[in-house]
Amino acid sequence: NYQSEYSKEKQDQKQRLIDCNIEAARYFYALLRSDDGKKGLEYFKKRELSDETMKKFGLGYSNVNGKDCIAYLKNQGFKDKEIIDAGIGVYDERNGLRAKFWNRVMFPIKNQAGKVIGFGGRVLGEGEPKYLNSPETPVFNKSTNLYAFDLAKASRSTYFILCEGYMDVIALHQAGFNMAVASLGTAFTPGQANIIRRYVKDVYLSYDSDGPGVKAAIRASKICREYGLSCKVIDMSPYKDPDEFIKALGRDEYQKRIDGAKNAFIFEIGILRKQYDSSDPDANTRYDNEVAALLAEMKDEVQRTN
């Protein structure tokens, strides 16, 4: 049967790409804990991560020489094409095959089954982009995976905490909030909402308190509502993100903020209110109209999900 042979071949190819990512993760993990990885280890220590946390997340390091990782993978029997297709290698005329990630601390990204399918890498020192993610590959789809989803799922919590960044998720897990996840270097997607709703009905947003963070939270809450998820926003002021908040005020205070989290709709109205001068009747009318529009939009969503 041609079709089943073809799909078996496809499956085998995918398995090879996953194996290649797993081996790369092993390499980065070992490197972080070697003399060559001191710089990376110092970074994580400075961020106050325990050895246990670094192990739990399989954190690693990619060194300045972009060839070493490739040599290791070839030594493990992976072909050039597999290394490129797995998103770990890039080819250019001048340098041939070299590593996509170098001089970065490495965050392995796993699929729902807990297998490594890609990476996020944060540059050490100056350099752009600050965070680099694996490209889309046959095994890594950013819009249908979430960082630390395999761990959050295993927490058996009735809700998930949705963050913006890898470090936020890791800081929350280290503080005992092991239901924290993050979207992968992109805005929250319908595909991610769809995965979450199979496991929980409630989502708490713990996005940055700055302008872009607030915008992203409002966008994410709309997607949550569309997929029938109840959404609340955790207020982390005066701190910027969960990582800073927990370092400053600790676990119990963050739990209090979860308990006092506002319904996302109320949060959105609060943000709107700040944009209009309440002593100006015209501004008040515009504000009322915007709230009415939001309510109408919400009623549609509720009807669509019921």
Side-chain angles (χ1 to χ4, degrees), residues 235-279:
D235 170 21
M236 286 174 302
S237 59
Y239 297 97
K240 181 177 167 277
D241 57 36
D243 184 27
E244 276 183 20
F245 185 99
I246 284 185
K247 281 191 179 75
L249 300 180
R251 182 202 149 85
D252 294 347
E253 280 304 312
Y254 189 80
Q255 183 60 55
K256 281 183 196 160
R257 297 289 176 103
I258 292 177
D259 299 338
K262 272 186 188 160
N263 170 296
F265 183 69
I266 305 294
F267 168 79
E268 201 173 337
I269 290 175
I271 297 293
L272 261 183
R273 179 75 273 183
K274 288 182 193 148
Q275 293 165 8
Y276 292 98
D277 172 6
S278 56
S279 63

Side-chain angles (χ1 to χ4, degrees), residues 143 162 164 183-193 203 205 207-208 210-227 229 231-233 264-265 267-268 271 294 297 301:
S143 61
L162 185 60
E164 281 187 272
S183 45
L184 297 164
T186 54
F188 185 61
T189 68
Q192 291 166 336
V203 172
L205 294 178
Y207 280 17
D208 290 3
D210 59 8
V214 167
K215 272 204 181 96
I218 289 173
R219 230 191 119 256
S221 73
K222 286 194 159 90
I223 293 173
C224 283
R225 283 205 299 267
E226 253 170 63
Y227 281 80
L229 289 161
C231 188
K232 289 184 172 172
V233 179
F265 183 69
F267 168 79
E268 201 173 337
I271 297 293
L294 278 178
E297 191 184 298
E301 279 166 14

Side-chain angles (χ1 to χ4, degrees), residues 110-146:
K110 297 177 175 178
N111 63 12
Q112 293 182 39
K115 297 270 188 277
V116 181
I117 51 171
F119 295 92
R122 186 199 190 281
V123 75
L124 291 176
E126 296 304 305
E128 288 295 320
K130 188 161 116 178
Y131 276 94
L132 180 66
N133 284 315
S134 291
E136 297 271 324
T137 71
V139 294
F140 180 51
N141 179 340
K142 287 181 187 131
S143 61
T144 55
N145 282 289
L146 287 147

